[in-house]
């Protein structure tokens, strides 16, 4: 007899049974479709942090945490990192396939022609305090973009969605670089369409109107790689935030702004900044590395090894392997004895000790994407508080691709989780003078 592709749930308190379909993915973990549960048995499911919950179907990114596998649209991250460019990956993520050379040229042209910001947007930067965190500026300015483009408010029109996506990909580097320029009292540099995506960003970050500037090819390549590795990571906190925000039919600029806010936290994209702060603390302290490892293991101490651990990866994060090698290669090409080498050596020492330690081994805690990326960014001259901004500009394509996918999904509905109420039972209002 052919086995049924279902699971049966038995409610022992009532004796009722419910057969729930198993949904089979093209790859990975099968999913139980619990949509009938509330209707048939009157229960919700309880899953804080979504440890066992698939919130949607998605064909964009495949992630196998047990085996350290990451693929965009089926292509292994290692191949994309080695052979493609960030804009090619953007095309792949949004449209589903690698572009041919004509498609890529058209796409690049489209992106190039949307890199400028409306002049009035400059006033937004100037309204922030000079010491504002650039992520705070990003949240505000990207959200404000929605008030500039009223020609694509129909989120169900694919052409309008595409225009919004192109605008976001194109303008994000300009917004990111200008948030840095403003904090440093430097003039805003306009984008240059003759440069590629990473080179143009470095130009807007570091060029001066008084001098010629050529983005160093070594850094352009490294930044392009970092952006590829951060471009998407399926339903992480910020992507889920973008989806949830967009599920109410909010405009994409507002949804991406919400994603940036979510990314900011140190448990998510803020970790790359936190890693460098931690490494600097360690190299400047009299304590050895073991002291910090012991602190990370101590349950009474809130200190964690930043850049270690991941909700999904229970083996080495494949992105961290690529970034560690790039970091090594870049440092080799810088002047001997450069100060980043000390950070890299310390990071390697921590990794070696941690990976032999039972605490980290038993919990499958390995370096993640953020562990080595900050050292490369620092070596490029990018200040610490811009690290998460670079993550945000790289992840924009992931966010907008997921939003676009959601808007086409016939099963998608406004996101509205339920709760397990744990508050007071009904009680009567007590007048103020009787309390
Ligand atoms: N240092 C020390 N202990 C850790 C660490 C760490 N970095 N990460 C997890 N643990 C311990 C944790 O205390 C827990 O121990 P126990 O089982 O005894 O209670 C166990 O490992 C499982 O951790 P968890 O917090 O339940 O795992 P999670 O899936 O909820 O959290 C995480 C994942 C990434 C938030 C967490 O590992 C962490 O805080 N890491 C440091 C921050 C970081 O590097 N974040 C970047 C993530 S990758 C990029 C991105 O997503 O943006």
């Amino acid at each position: 007899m052919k086995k049924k592709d279902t699971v049966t749930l038995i409610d022992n308190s009532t004796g009722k049974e419910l057969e729930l379909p198993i949904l089979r993915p093209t790859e990975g973990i099968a999913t139980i479709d619990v949509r009938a549960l509330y209707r048939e048995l009157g229960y919700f499911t309880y899953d804080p942090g979504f440890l066992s919950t698939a919130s949607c179907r998605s064909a964009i990114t495949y992630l196998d945490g047990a085996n350290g596998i990451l693929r965009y649209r089926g292509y292994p991250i290692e191949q994309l990192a080695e052979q493609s460019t960030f804009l090619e990956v953007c095309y792949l993520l949004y449209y589903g396939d690698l572009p041919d050379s004509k498609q890529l040229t058209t796409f690049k042209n489209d992106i190039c022609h949307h890199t400028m910001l409306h002049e009035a947007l400059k006033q937004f930067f100037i309204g922030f305090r000079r010491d504002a965190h650039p992520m705070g500026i990003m949240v505000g300015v990207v959200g404000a973009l929605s008030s500039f483009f009223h020609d694509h408010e129909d989120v169900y029109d694919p052409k309008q969605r595409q225009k919004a996506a192109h605008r976001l990909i194109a303008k994000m580097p300009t917004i990111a670089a200008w948030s840095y320029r403003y904090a440093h009292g430097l003039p805003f540099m306009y984008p240059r369409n003759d440069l590629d995506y990473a080179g143009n960003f470095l130009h807007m970050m570091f060029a001066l109107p008084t001098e010629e500037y050529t983005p160093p090819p070594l850094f352009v390549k490294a930044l392009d790689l970092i952006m590829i590795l951060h471009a998407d990571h399926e339903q992480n906190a910020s992507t889920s935030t973008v989806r949830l925000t967009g599920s109410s039919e909010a405009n994409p600029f507002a949804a991406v702004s919400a994603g940036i806010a979510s990314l900011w936290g140190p448990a998510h994209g803020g970790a790359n900044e936190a890693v460098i702060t931690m490494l600097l603390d360690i190299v400047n302290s009299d304590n050895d590395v073991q002291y910090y490892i012991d602190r990370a293991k101590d349950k009474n101490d809130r200190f964690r090894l930043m850049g270690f651990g991941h909700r999904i990866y229970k083996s080495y994060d494949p992105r961290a392997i690529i970034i560690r090698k790039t970091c090594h290669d870049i440092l080799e090409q810088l002047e001997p004895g450069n100060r980043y080498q000390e950070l890299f050596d310390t990071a390697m020492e921590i990794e070696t000790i941690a990976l032999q330690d039972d605490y980290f081994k038993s919990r499958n805690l390995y370096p993640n994407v953020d562990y080595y990326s900050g050292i490369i960014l620092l070596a490029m001259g990018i200040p610490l508080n811009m690290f998460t901004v670079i993550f945000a500009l790289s992840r924009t394509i992931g966010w907008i691709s997921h939003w676009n996918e959601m808007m086409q999904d016939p099963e998608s509905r406004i996101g509205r989780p339920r709760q397990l109420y744990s508050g007071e039972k009904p009680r009567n209002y007590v007048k103020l003078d009787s309390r």
Side-chain angles (χ1 to χ4, degrees), residues 51 233 236 263 266-272 275 296-297 299 303-312 314 317 319 359-360 363 365 368-370 391 395:
L51 294 178
H233 215 229
N236 52 81
L263 184 77
H268 192 6
N272 53 12
V275 170
K297 289 158 51 176
K299 290 289 161 209
F303 177 80
R304 279 188 167 195
L305 273 191
M306 298 315 287
F308 255 76
H310 198 277
R311 170 62 60 81
I312 311 286
K314 299 304 167 201
D317 179 337
R319 303 167 300 172
Y359 175 94
F360 293 89
R363 289 169 179 76
L365 300 171
N368 59 49
V369 67
D370 290 321
F391 194 157
R395 184 56 60 83

Side-chain angles (χ1 to χ4, degrees), residues 8 21 23 28 48 59 91 130 146 204 343 402:
T8 302
L23 306 177
Y91 187 100
R130 286 267 182 216
S146 52
M204 291 188 288
L343 295 181
H402 280 273

Side-chain angles (χ1 to χ4, degrees), residues 122-364:
K122 273 189 186 166
Q123 307 305 319
F124 283 75
F125 290 90
I126 293 161
F128 285 96
R129 278 172 56 128
R130 286 267 182 216
D131 59 356
H133 195 290
M135 281 298 276
I137 301 181
M138 295 291 287
V139 172
V141 176
V142 174
L145 283 181
S146 52
S147 58
F148 285 78
F149 302 115
H150 296 295
D151 57 340
H152 47 248
E153 284 177 345
D154 181 358
V155 291
Y156 291 106
D157 176 349
K159 284 225 168 73
Q160 293 191 35
R161 283 203 304 273
Q162 173 177 283
K163 190 93 178 235
H166 288 190
R167 282 190 167 132
L168 273 159
I169 301 164
K171 293 181 196 310
M172 207 57 116
T174 316
I175 299 173
W178 284 17
S179 64
Y180 163 78
R181 302 290 290 204
Y182 173 69
H184 290 78
L186 292 164
F188 296 137
M189 294 300 290
Y190 286 99
R192 266 179 51 190
N193 291 357
D194 60 314
L195 295 172
D196 62 15
Y197 195 82
N200 179 45
F201 174 67
L202 291 176
H203 152 78
M204 291 188 288
M205 283 285 291
F206 298 120
L208 294 173
T210 45
E211 286 168 20
E212 276 289 308
Y213 174 82
T214 309
L218 180 67
F219 292 163
V220 172
K221 195 162 181 291
L223 184 58
D224 201 72
L225 174 83
I226 287 178
M227 292 195 294
I228 291 173
L229 299 179
H230 285 83
D232 193 45
H233 215 229
E234 51 119 304
Q235 313 308 324
N236 52 81
S238 57
T239 304
S240 301
T241 302
V242 171
R243 277 185 178 262
L244 193 58
T245 310
S247 77
S248 72
E249 302 177 13
N251 73 74
F253 302 104
V256 167
S257 164
I260 297 172
S262 165
L263 184 77
W264 195 354
H268 192 6
N272 53 12
E273 185 178 335
V275 170
I276 297 297
T277 308
M278 175 186 81
L279 291 176
L280 287 169
D281 273 358
I282 297 174
V283 297
N284 292 328
S285 123
D286 295 331
N287 297 306
D288 59 7
V289 162
Q290 188 61 49
Y291 167 83
Y292 289 92
I293 302 264
D294 292 341
R295 278 190 63 193
K297 289 158 51 176
D298 181 355
K299 290 289 161 209
N300 298 317
D301 190 330
R302 289 185 63 82
F303 177 80
R304 279 188 167 195
L305 273 191
M306 298 315 287
F308 255 76
H310 198 277
R311 170 62 60 81
I312 311 286
Y313 291 120
K314 299 304 167 201
S315 63
Y316 218 108
D317 179 337
R319 303 167 300 172
I321 298 175
I322 300 168
I323 291 193
R324 185 179 58 184
K325 180 173 179 313
T326 307
C327 190
H328 181 261
D329 294 350
I330 286 196
L331 295 181
E332 267 197 336
Q333 293 182 61
L334 300 181
E335 277 173 28
N338 64 75
R339 64 193 181 96
Y340 315 110
Q341 188 66 50
E342 193 183 2
L343 295 181
F344 185 64
D345 293 342
T346 307
M348 296 270 286
E349 189 185 346
I350 294 172
E351 181 187 329
T352 309
I353 299 178
L355 295 189
Q356 287 165 4
D357 189 300
D358 270 350
Y359 175 94
F360 293 89
K361 282 204 293 195
S362 62
R363 289 169 179 76
N364 296 314

